[in-house]
mmCIF file of all heavy atoms in Angstrom:
data_model
loop_
_atom_site.group_PDB
_atom_site.id
_atom_site.type_symbol
_atom_site.label_atom_id
_atom_site.label_comp_id
_atom_site.label_asym_id
_atom_site.label_seq_id
_atom_site.Cartn_x
_atom_site.Cartn_y
_atom_site.Cartn_z
ATOM 1 N N ASN A 1 -9.291 7.643 17.397
ATOM 2 C CA ASN A 1 -7.918 8.087 17.734
ATOM 3 C C ASN A 1 -7.733 9.494 17.284
ATOM 4 O O ASN A 1 -7.717 9.780 16.114
ATOM 5 C CB ASN A 1 -6.871 7.129 17.172
ATOM 6 C CG ASN A 1 -5.474 7.481 17.609
ATOM 7 O OD1 ASN A 1 -4.952 8.559 17.193
ATOM 8 N ND2 ASN A 1 -4.817 6.661 18.267
ATOM 9 N N ASP A 2 -7.662 10.447 18.226
ATOM 10 C CA ASP A 2 -7.541 11.911 17.872
ATOM 11 C C ASP A 2 -6.332 12.169 16.969
ATOM 12 O O ASP A 2 -6.448 12.988 16.004
ATOM 13 C CB ASP A 2 -7.481 12.691 19.123
ATOM 14 C CG ASP A 2 -8.750 12.711 19.880
ATOM 15 O OD1 ASP A 2 -9.802 12.444 19.324
ATOM 16 O OD2 ASP A 2 -8.733 12.994 21.111
ATOM 17 N N GLU A 3 -5.154 11.623 17.322
ATOM 18 C CA GLU A 3 -4.002 11.903 16.507
ATOM 19 C C GLU A 3 -4.126 11.374 15.011
ATOM 20 O O GLU A 3 -3.762 12.083 14.154
ATOM 21 C CB GLU A 3 -2.817 11.222 17.135
ATOM 22 C CG GLU A 3 -1.484 11.437 16.443
ATOM 23 C CD GLU A 3 -0.239 10.807 17.137
ATOM 24 O OE1 GLU A 3 -0.445 10.235 18.193
ATOM 25 O OE2 GLU A 3 0.771 10.766 16.526
ATOM 26 N N LEU A 4 -4.731 10.221 14.861
ATOM 27 C CA LEU A 4 -4.931 9.667 13.616
ATOM 28 C C LEU A 4 -5.893 10.449 12.787
ATOM 29 O O LEU A 4 -5.748 10.720 11.632
ATOM 30 C CB LEU A 4 -5.308 8.164 13.635
ATOM 31 C CG LEU A 4 -5.478 7.455 12.334
ATOM 32 C CD1 LEU A 4 -4.192 7.486 11.474
ATOM 33 C CD2 LEU A 4 -5.891 6.023 12.574
ATOM 34 N N TRP A 5 -7.074 10.843 13.507
ATOM 35 C CA TRP A 5 -8.100 11.598 12.823
ATOM 36 C C TRP A 5 -7.561 12.977 12.288
ATOM 37 O O TRP A 5 -7.877 13.463 11.247
ATOM 38 C CB TRP A 5 -9.256 11.816 13.729
ATOM 39 C CG TRP A 5 -10.355 12.581 13.040
ATOM 40 C CD1 TRP A 5 -10.836 13.798 13.318
ATOM 41 C CD2 TRP A 5 -11.150 12.101 11.938
ATOM 42 N NE1 TRP A 5 -11.861 14.180 12.510
ATOM 43 C CE2 TRP A 5 -12.072 13.164 11.580
ATOM 44 C CE3 TRP A 5 -11.160 10.952 11.190
ATOM 45 C CZ2 TRP A 5 -12.982 13.010 10.507
ATOM 46 C CZ3 TRP A 5 -12.051 10.839 10.151
ATOM 47 C CH2 TRP A 5 -12.961 11.871 9.783
ATOM 48 N N LYS A 6 -6.602 13.537 13.062
ATOM 49 C CA LYS A 6 -5.958 14.767 12.725
ATOM 50 C C LYS A 6 -5.194 14.608 11.434
ATOM 51 O O LYS A 6 -5.278 15.394 10.476
ATOM 52 C CB LYS A 6 -5.121 15.302 13.806
ATOM 53 C CG LYS A 6 -4.510 16.643 13.544
ATOM 54 C CD LYS A 6 -3.579 17.167 14.687
ATOM 55 C CE LYS A 6 -2.961 18.454 14.373
ATOM 56 N NZ LYS A 6 -2.098 18.945 15.474
ATOM 57 N N LYS A 7 -4.501 13.434 11.292
ATOM 58 C CA LYS A 7 -3.720 13.189 10.064
ATOM 59 C C LYS A 7 -4.679 13.020 8.846
ATOM 60 O O LYS A 7 -4.350 13.294 7.704
ATOM 61 C CB LYS A 7 -2.880 11.920 10.279
ATOM 62 C CG LYS A 7 -1.748 12.027 11.296
ATOM 63 C CD LYS A 7 -0.927 10.786 11.453
ATOM 64 C CE LYS A 7 0.033 10.864 12.581
ATOM 65 N NZ LYS A 7 1.041 11.824 12.383
ATOM 66 N N VAL A 8 -5.899 12.379 9.078
ATOM 67 C CA VAL A 8 -6.826 12.216 8.045
ATOM 68 C C VAL A 8 -7.364 13.615 7.576
ATOM 69 O O VAL A 8 -7.341 13.873 6.356
ATOM 70 C CB VAL A 8 -8.040 11.375 8.502
ATOM 71 C CG1 VAL A 8 -9.166 11.406 7.524
ATOM 72 C CG2 VAL A 8 -7.608 9.893 8.809
ATOM 73 N N LYS A 9 -7.692 14.465 8.552
ATOM 74 C CA LYS A 9 -8.260 15.805 8.240
ATOM 75 C C LYS A 9 -7.275 16.623 7.504
ATOM 76 O O LYS A 9 -7.691 17.407 6.622
ATOM 77 C CB LYS A 9 -8.729 16.486 9.510
ATOM 78 C CG LYS A 9 -9.899 15.749 10.206
ATOM 79 C CD LYS A 9 -11.178 16.112 9.512
ATOM 80 C CE LYS A 9 -11.623 17.543 9.686
ATOM 81 N NZ LYS A 9 -12.878 17.850 8.948
ATOM 82 N N ASN A 10 -5.945 16.662 7.891
ATOM 83 C CA ASN A 10 -5.015 17.505 7.236
ATOM 84 C C ASN A 10 -4.370 16.909 5.974
ATOM 85 O O ASN A 10 -3.444 17.509 5.416
ATOM 86 C CB ASN A 10 -3.975 18.014 8.186
ATOM 87 C CG ASN A 10 -3.065 16.857 8.692
ATOM 88 O OD1 ASN A 10 -2.946 15.832 8.117
ATOM 89 N ND2 ASN A 10 -2.355 16.992 9.852
ATOM 90 N N GLY A 11 -4.809 15.739 5.613
ATOM 91 C CA GLY A 11 -4.377 15.098 4.403
ATOM 92 C C GLY A 11 -3.052 14.400 4.480
ATOM 93 O O GLY A 11 -2.392 14.036 3.534
ATOM 94 N N GLU A 12 -2.592 14.188 5.710
ATOM 95 C CA GLU A 12 -1.300 13.509 5.897
ATOM 96 C C GLU A 12 -1.459 12.001 5.551
ATOM 97 O O GLU A 12 -0.486 11.347 5.203
ATOM 98 C CB GLU A 12 -0.859 13.702 7.352
ATOM 99 C CG GLU A 12 0.609 13.236 7.598
ATOM 100 C CD GLU A 12 0.992 13.598 8.972
ATOM 101 O OE1 GLU A 12 0.405 14.422 9.688
ATOM 102 O OE2 GLU A 12 2.073 12.986 9.468
ATOM 103 N N VAL A 13 -2.677 11.408 5.757
ATOM 104 C CA VAL A 13 -2.882 10.124 5.309
ATOM 105 C C VAL A 13 -4.047 10.124 4.254
ATOM 106 O O VAL A 13 -4.996 10.815 4.406
ATOM 107 C CB VAL A 13 -3.195 9.121 6.459
ATOM 108 C CG1 VAL A 13 -2.070 8.974 7.399
ATOM 109 C CG2 VAL A 13 -4.458 9.603 7.279
ATOM 110 N N ASN A 14 -3.915 9.291 3.254
ATOM 111 C CA ASN A 14 -4.859 9.306 2.146
ATOM 112 C C ASN A 14 -5.423 7.966 1.786
ATOM 113 O O ASN A 14 -6.260 7.880 0.881
ATOM 114 C CB ASN A 14 -4.258 9.954 0.899
ATOM 115 C CG ASN A 14 -3.868 11.400 1.118
ATOM 116 O OD1 ASN A 14 -4.720 12.215 1.235
ATOM 117 N ND2 ASN A 14 -2.579 11.717 1.135
ATOM 118 N N GLY A 15 -4.949 6.940 2.383
ATOM 119 C CA GLY A 15 -5.485 5.641 1.932
ATOM 120 C C GLY A 15 -4.978 4.472 2.882
ATOM 121 O O GLY A 15 -4.321 4.678 3.820
ATOM 122 N N PHE A 16 -5.376 3.262 2.379
ATOM 123 C CA PHE A 16 -5.011 2.024 3.136
ATOM 124 C C PHE A 16 -3.964 1.279 2.448
ATOM 125 O O PHE A 16 -3.864 1.338 1.186
ATOM 126 C CB PHE A 16 -6.299 1.167 3.299
ATOM 127 C CG PHE A 16 -7.451 1.817 3.952
ATOM 128 C CD1 PHE A 16 -8.685 1.861 3.373
ATOM 129 C CD2 PHE A 16 -7.289 2.378 5.288
ATOM 130 C CE1 PHE A 16 -9.780 2.442 3.981
ATOM 131 C CE2 PHE A 16 -8.405 2.976 5.936
ATOM 132 C CZ PHE A 16 -9.615 2.966 5.333
ATOM 133 N N SER A 17 -3.170 0.582 3.174
ATOM 134 C CA SER A 17 -2.060 -0.283 2.656
ATOM 135 C C SER A 17 -2.025 -1.515 3.513
ATOM 136 O O SER A 17 -1.966 -1.476 4.714
ATOM 137 C CB SER A 17 -0.777 0.529 2.665
ATOM 138 O OG SER A 17 0.324 -0.322 2.308
ATOM 139 N N ILE A 18 -1.927 -2.712 2.861
ATOM 140 C CA ILE A 18 -1.992 -3.933 3.634
ATOM 141 C C ILE A 18 -0.596 -4.417 3.991
ATOM 142 O O ILE A 18 0.375 -4.035 3.379
ATOM 143 C CB ILE A 18 -2.708 -5.029 2.828
ATOM 144 C CG1 ILE A 18 -1.921 -5.401 1.524
ATOM 145 C CG2 ILE A 18 -4.140 -4.637 2.507
ATOM 146 C CD1 ILE A 18 -2.402 -6.605 0.846
ATOM 147 N N GLU A 19 -0.510 -5.199 5.010
ATOM 148 C CA GLU A 19 0.733 -5.864 5.499
ATOM 149 C C GLU A 19 0.370 -7.365 5.593
ATOM 150 O O GLU A 19 -0.689 -7.638 6.154
ATOM 151 C CB GLU A 19 1.185 -5.388 6.737
ATOM 152 C CG GLU A 19 1.758 -3.983 6.771
ATOM 153 C CD GLU A 19 2.330 -3.549 8.124
ATOM 154 O OE1 GLU A 19 2.687 -4.536 8.861
ATOM 155 O OE2 GLU A 19 2.405 -2.431 8.402
ATOM 156 N N GLY A 20 1.240 -8.244 5.194
ATOM 157 C CA GLY A 20 0.994 -9.629 5.351
ATOM 158 C C GLY A 20 2.018 -10.511 4.844
ATOM 159 O O GLY A 20 3.035 -10.055 4.297
ATOM 160 N N VAL A 21 1.918 -11.845 5.063
ATOM 161 C CA VAL A 21 2.890 -12.797 4.573
ATOM 162 C C VAL A 21 2.141 -13.611 3.448
ATOM 163 O O VAL A 21 1.048 -14.252 3.781
ATOM 164 C CB VAL A 21 3.305 -13.793 5.774
ATOM 165 C CG1 VAL A 21 4.264 -14.834 5.109
ATOM 166 C CG2 VAL A 21 4.020 -12.964 6.819
ATOM 167 N N PHE A 22 2.633 -13.597 2.288
ATOM 168 C CA PHE A 22 2.028 -14.268 1.160
ATOM 169 C C PHE A 22 3.053 -15.240 0.471
ATOM 170 O O PHE A 22 4.210 -14.989 0.459
ATOM 171 C CB PHE A 22 1.498 -13.324 0.135
ATOM 172 C CG PHE A 22 0.561 -12.267 0.705
ATOM 173 C CD1 PHE A 22 0.994 -11.098 1.152
ATOM 174 C CD2 PHE A 22 -0.823 -12.544 0.716
ATOM 175 C CE1 PHE A 22 0.076 -10.152 1.747
ATOM 176 C CE2 PHE A 22 -1.699 -11.678 1.258
ATOM 177 C CZ PHE A 22 -1.287 -10.483 1.716
ATOM 178 N N SER A 23 2.525 -16.309 -0.065
ATOM 179 C CA SER A 23 3.318 -17.165 -0.869
ATOM 180 C C SER A 23 3.327 -16.667 -2.274
ATOM 181 O O SER A 23 2.500 -15.825 -2.684
ATOM 182 C CB SER A 23 2.712 -18.621 -0.903
ATOM 183 O OG SER A 23 2.753 -19.196 0.404
ATOM 184 N N LYS A 24 4.326 -17.102 -3.050
ATOM 185 C CA LYS A 24 4.566 -16.566 -4.389
ATOM 186 C C LYS A 24 4.464 -17.568 -5.404
ATOM 187 O O LYS A 24 4.782 -18.762 -5.231
ATOM 188 C CB LYS A 24 6.041 -15.939 -4.473
ATOM 189 C CG LYS A 24 6.217 -14.676 -3.851
ATOM 190 C CD LYS A 24 7.646 -14.186 -4.062
ATOM 191 C CE LYS A 24 7.960 -12.848 -3.471
ATOM 192 N NZ LYS A 24 9.332 -12.385 -3.721
ATOM 193 N N ASN A 25 4.031 -17.150 -6.625
ATOM 194 C CA ASN A 25 3.961 -17.986 -7.842
ATOM 195 C C ASN A 25 4.377 -17.199 -9.002
ATOM 196 O O ASN A 25 3.570 -16.231 -9.329
ATOM 197 C CB ASN A 25 2.582 -18.629 -7.934
ATOM 198 C CG ASN A 25 2.516 -19.496 -9.161
ATOM 199 O OD1 ASN A 25 3.446 -20.143 -9.584
ATOM 200 N ND2 ASN A 25 1.329 -19.540 -9.822
ATOM 201 N N ILE A 26 5.521 -17.366 -9.616
ATOM 202 C CA ILE A 26 5.911 -16.660 -10.780
ATOM 203 C C ILE A 26 5.026 -17.063 -12.012
ATOM 204 O O ILE A 26 4.987 -18.344 -12.332
ATOM 205 C CB ILE A 26 7.383 -16.827 -11.069
ATOM 206 C CG1 ILE A 26 8.260 -16.255 -9.901
ATOM 207 C CG2 ILE A 26 7.747 -16.134 -12.391
ATOM 208 C CD1 ILE A 26 9.676 -16.420 -10.118
ATOM 209 N N VAL A 27 4.320 -16.151 -12.519
ATOM 210 C CA VAL A 27 3.361 -16.534 -13.661
ATOM 211 C C VAL A 27 3.821 -15.994 -15.007
ATOM 212 O O VAL A 27 3.301 -16.447 -16.007
ATOM 213 C CB VAL A 27 1.940 -16.061 -13.360
ATOM 214 C CG1 VAL A 27 1.407 -16.715 -12.125
ATOM 215 C CG2 VAL A 27 1.896 -14.522 -13.202
ATOM 216 N N LYS A 28 4.770 -15.117 -15.025
ATOM 217 C CA LYS A 28 5.188 -14.508 -16.283
ATOM 218 C C LYS A 28 6.628 -13.981 -16.257
ATOM 219 O O LYS A 28 6.987 -13.264 -15.315
ATOM 220 C CB LYS A 28 4.140 -13.432 -16.682
ATOM 221 C CG LYS A 28 4.459 -12.681 -18.075
ATOM 222 C CD LYS A 28 3.421 -11.680 -18.386
ATOM 223 C CE LYS A 28 3.713 -11.024 -19.742
ATOM 224 N NZ LYS A 28 2.797 -9.909 -20.003
ATOM 225 N N MET A 29 7.418 -14.282 -17.214
ATOM 226 C CA MET A 29 8.663 -13.718 -17.336
ATOM 227 C C MET A 29 8.938 -13.514 -18.913
ATOM 228 O O MET A 29 9.500 -14.311 -19.604
ATOM 229 C CB MET A 29 9.812 -14.599 -16.801
ATOM 230 C CG MET A 29 9.763 -14.736 -15.327
ATOM 231 S SD MET A 29 11.145 -15.741 -14.672
ATOM 232 C CE MET A 29 12.475 -14.599 -14.880
ATOM 233 N N SER A 30 8.280 -12.442 -19.453
ATOM 234 C CA SER A 30 8.394 -12.196 -20.853
ATOM 235 C C SER A 30 9.476 -11.316 -21.246
ATOM 236 O O SER A 30 9.903 -10.471 -20.503
ATOM 237 C CB SER A 30 7.064 -11.627 -21.282
ATOM 238 O OG SER A 30 6.762 -10.469 -20.649
ATOM 239 N N GLU A 31 9.976 -11.490 -22.488
ATOM 240 C CA GLU A 31 11.125 -10.622 -22.990
ATOM 241 C C GLU A 31 10.530 -9.243 -23.389
ATOM 242 O O GLU A 31 9.911 -9.173 -24.451
ATOM 243 C CB GLU A 31 11.724 -11.363 -24.190
ATOM 244 C CG GLU A 31 12.403 -12.669 -23.813
ATOM 245 C CD GLU A 31 13.616 -12.469 -22.972
ATOM 246 O OE1 GLU A 31 14.157 -11.385 -23.005
ATOM 247 O OE2 GLU A 31 14.014 -13.414 -22.301
ATOM 248 N N GLU A 32 10.754 -8.227 -22.609
ATOM 249 C CA GLU A 32 10.200 -6.963 -22.947
ATOM 250 C C GLU A 32 11.252 -5.853 -22.472
ATOM 251 O O GLU A 32 12.199 -6.136 -21.710
ATOM 252 C CB GLU A 32 8.925 -6.669 -22.248
ATOM 253 C CG GLU A 32 7.805 -7.601 -22.650
ATOM 254 C CD GLU A 32 6.512 -7.357 -21.860
ATOM 255 O OE1 GLU A 32 6.564 -6.467 -21.027
ATOM 256 O OE2 GLU A 32 5.579 -8.073 -22.162
ATOM 257 N N LYS A 33 11.061 -4.652 -22.967
ATOM 258 C CA LYS A 33 11.950 -3.584 -22.501
ATOM 259 C C LYS A 33 11.225 -2.805 -21.354
ATOM 260 O O LYS A 33 11.703 -1.719 -21.012
ATOM 261 C CB LYS A 33 12.216 -2.614 -23.632
ATOM 262 C CG LYS A 33 13.201 -3.120 -24.696
ATOM 263 C CD LYS A 33 13.593 -2.183 -25.695
ATOM 264 C CE LYS A 33 14.721 -2.726 -26.644
ATOM 265 N NZ LYS A 33 15.125 -1.802 -27.673
ATOM 266 N N THR A 34 10.170 -3.336 -20.847
ATOM 267 C CA THR A 34 9.363 -2.671 -19.842
ATOM 268 C C THR A 34 10.115 -2.253 -18.651
ATOM 269 O O THR A 34 10.131 -1.166 -18.196
ATOM 270 C CB THR A 34 8.128 -3.501 -19.456
ATOM 271 O OG1 THR A 34 7.386 -3.884 -20.516
ATOM 272 C CG2 THR A 34 7.301 -2.788 -18.406
#
């Protein structure tokens, strides 16, 4: 794709990012100031 390759070449895109539907499991709820 010429348009996408142009974005790669000029640094407009720098990486991959996923999309999806996932189930959740809460594994930690610790008392912190984080």
Side-chain angles (χ1 to χ4, degrees):
N1 183 296
D2 291 338
E3 182 180 351
L4 183 57
W5 182 248
K6 184 178 179 180
K7 293 180 187 297
V8 172
K9 290 285 288 180
N10 66 22
E12 192 174 341
V13 294
N14 294 295
F16 301 124
S17 173
I18 65 169
E19 293 182 22
V21 178
F22 301 92
S23 294
K24 286 182 178 181
N25 179 33
I26 297 177
V27 297
K28 181 179 180 183
M29 293 184 70
S30 58
E31 297 290 337
E32 298 176 0
K33 288 187 176 180
T34 302

